[in-house]
Structures are given as structure tokens and as C-alpha cells.
């Protein structure tokens, strides 16, 4: 079962990573920042975090996008990761795994660069088997799943399902039903709608990304 955002906020055992995309504005995003056990900031996003009224517990990255004043201000909170093979968000997720963090919400992963947005979404599938990992935007939430999963929802919620592993999926509790169907293109599972308080995406094994609009 994937919990609702309210239950996630009540949990308060999650880490928030702020990436350097568009600064979040939605109440759900700001509540995540308020209730997070810790905030990890990709180095280029530090000014956005400060403008939202928050301070980082850690700043991670290759430090090519952080100004000198911020470096001085947070010198004891900077964790340099100089590798150029992976992006700063990838480095922040790796750090969470190293520290045994189990629940991560990513903010600021969308906007500004569409190629970055797609790459950031793929990180959910890269790491989602090892920890609970979601991207929260100003409009909804992306959740990776790897087997049959039930979601909390509400009647009329807009839902899209993107099948990366070409598993044969079955939808229950959505307006447009699907039975044992393998999708090959992203549009095939998009623009659906929840009928009630729960829906289920069923499949045995694969890589599926589920989007729920607020």
C-alpha cells in the first residue's frame, strides 16, 4: 500500500532532497520541507531553499553551482562529491543510501530543463527498489513500483501509469480498465482516473512509474 500524503507527513521519518529545478510552491511540497527529518540540498538549489525560508542539513554536489557566500555560510554542512559521471541529485540519493535512510521525497526535480526532468524521473527506477523514493511536484507525485501495489486515492484523481519494463499490467479501481496488457509507449497508460479511495496496479515483476495528480 502506498500511503496518502497526509500519512506521509504524519510519519515525519522521511528525508527531503531539494534538486536544482523549479522551486516548489505547492502546500504539499512546503509541508514536506516543514516535516522532514532532514533536508539535503543539491548545491545549486541552496538559494531557492533559503528563499523558501529553510536551511539545509547537508549540501551535496560538485560545488560548481554554489556561490562563495553560501560556501562560507554552510562550510560545516557541505559534502563535496566531485564526480562528473552522475548528477548532484544522484549523489544526494547515494548519500541517503549510504546513511541508511529509507524514505526520501525529492522536490525541485521538474521544470527549467525537460531533459533533466526525464533523467530525474529515471532515478526513481534506478534506486526505488532499495528505498522508498518519490518525486513531489507542484501538481502531483511520481512513485516507482516493481510489483503489484495498491494506492490510496480519491474519486476523480487523475492517474497516469508509465510502464518501463513492459510488464503485463492490470488496473483495478481506475475508470479505464486494463487486463494483462504490456505497454510500449508512455501515452498508453496515461490520463486515467481513480474511481474511489483506492486503486491497484497489478503485475508480477517490472518497472512502473505511477503519477497521481493532487
Amino acid at each position: 500500500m502506498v500511503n496518502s500524503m497526509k500519512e506521509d507527513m504524519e510519519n515525519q521519518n522521511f528525508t527531503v532532497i531539494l534538486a536544482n529545478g523549479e522551486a516548489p510552491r505547492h502546500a504539499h511540497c512546503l509541508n514536506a520541507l516543514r516535516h522532514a527529518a532532514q533536508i539535503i540540498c543539491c548545491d545549486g538549489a541552496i538559494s531557492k531553499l533559503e528563499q523558501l525560508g529553510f536551511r539545509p542539513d547537508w549540501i551535496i554536489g560538485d560545488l560548481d553551482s554554489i556561490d562563495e557566500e553560501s560556501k562560507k555560510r554552510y562550510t560545516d554542512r557541505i559534502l563535496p562529491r566531485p564526480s562528473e559521471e552522475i548528477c548532484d541529485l544522484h549523489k544526494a540519493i547515494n548519500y541517503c543510501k549510504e546513511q541508511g535512510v529509507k524514505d526520501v521525497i525529492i522536490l525541485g526535480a521538474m521544470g527549467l530543463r525537460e531533459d533533466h526532468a526525464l533523467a530525474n524521473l529515471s532515478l526513481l527506477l534506478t534506486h526505488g527498489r532499495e528505498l522508498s523514493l518519490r518525486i513531489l511536484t507542484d501538481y502531483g507525485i511520481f512513485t516507482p513500483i516493481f510489483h503489484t501495489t495498491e494506492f490510496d486515492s480519491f474519486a476523480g484523481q487523475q492517474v497516469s501509469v508509465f510502464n518501463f519494463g513492459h510488464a503485463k499490467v492490470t488496473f483495478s479501481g481506475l475508470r479505464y480498465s486494463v487486463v494483462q496488457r504490456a505497454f510500449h509507449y508512455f501515452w498508453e497508460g496515461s490520463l486515467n482516473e481513480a474511481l474511489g479511495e483506492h486503486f491497484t496496479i497489478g503485475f508480477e515483476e517490472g518497472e512502473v512509474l505511477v503519477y497521481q495528480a493532487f
Side-chain angles (χ1 to χ4, degrees):
M1 166 76 78
V2 173
N3 293 334
S4 66
M5 282 303 302
K6 180 180 179 182
E7 290 172 312
D8 284 340
M9 294 305 105
E10 291 172 350
N11 174 31
Q12 296 191 18
N13 289 323
F14 59 88
T15 290
V16 164
I17 298 175
L18 181 64
N20 194 23
E22 226 166 40
R25 295 180 177 84
H26 194 280
H28 284 329
C29 299
L30 300 182
N31 281 337
L33 286 166
R34 292 188 189 100
H35 291 96
Q38 65 175 341
I39 298 173
I40 298 174
C41 189
C42 296
D43 63 33
I46 185 59
S47 62
K48 295 169 185 174
L49 184 64
E50 289 179 326
Q51 288 168 11
L52 292 170
F54 298 92
R55 291 168 61 86
D57 292 285
W58 300 106
I59 299 172
I60 292 179
D62 54 13
L63 308 185
D64 65 342
S65 303
I66 185 172
D67 61 77
E68 292 302 320
E69 285 301 314
S70 295
K71 284 182 182 179
K72 293 176 183 176
R73 188 157 56 250
Y74 297 114
T75 184
D76 59 336
R77 305 185 186 195
I78 293 176
L79 300 173
R81 294 291 190 272
S83 171
E84 296 181 354
E85 295 182 2
I86 57 176
C87 68
D88 289 346
L89 176 56
H90 202 154
K91 295 169 187 175
I93 296 171
N94 280 342
Y95 174 77
C96 288
K97 290 163 60 177
E98 292 165 8
Q99 299 302 308
V101 173
K102 298 299 183 184
D103 196 351
V104 176
I105 293 175
I106 299 170
L107 305 177
M110 301 287 108
L112 304 184
R113 286 273 301 268
E114 287 82 1
D115 54 342
H116 282 188
L118 286 170
N120 292 341
L121 286 171
S122 72
L123 289 174
L124 297 181
L125 300 170
T126 301
H127 298 283
R129 294 179 187 270
E130 299 170 79
L131 70 168
S132 174
L133 189 62
R134 292 148 292 166
I135 286 179
L136 194 60
T137 78
D138 283 337
Y139 306 99
I141 184 166
F142 287 95
T143 304
I145 59 174
F146 305 93
H147 49 72
T148 295
T149 304
E150 183 181 68
F151 288 80
D152 282 342
S153 188
F154 57 86
Q157 184 177 41
Q158 300 301 295
V159 176
S160 288
V161 181
F162 304 102
N163 187 353
F164 286 78
H166 303 309
K168 291 185 177 180
V169 296
T170 297
F171 298 170
S172 302
L174 296 180
R175 180 172 299 279
Y176 306 109
S177 61
V178 166
V179 178
Q180 287 287 296
R181 181 173 168 185
F183 297 147
H184 298 282
Y185 301 100
F186 289 169
W187 60 265
E188 292 179 87
S190 66
L191 308 179
N192 216 317
E193 182 178 312
L195 297 176
E197 295 182 354
H198 307 286
F199 67 87
T200 300
I201 308 301
F203 60 101
E204 291 185 4
E205 178 68 22
E207 296 183 334
V208 171
L209 199 58
V210 177
Y211 176 79
Q212 297 171 269
F214 293 140

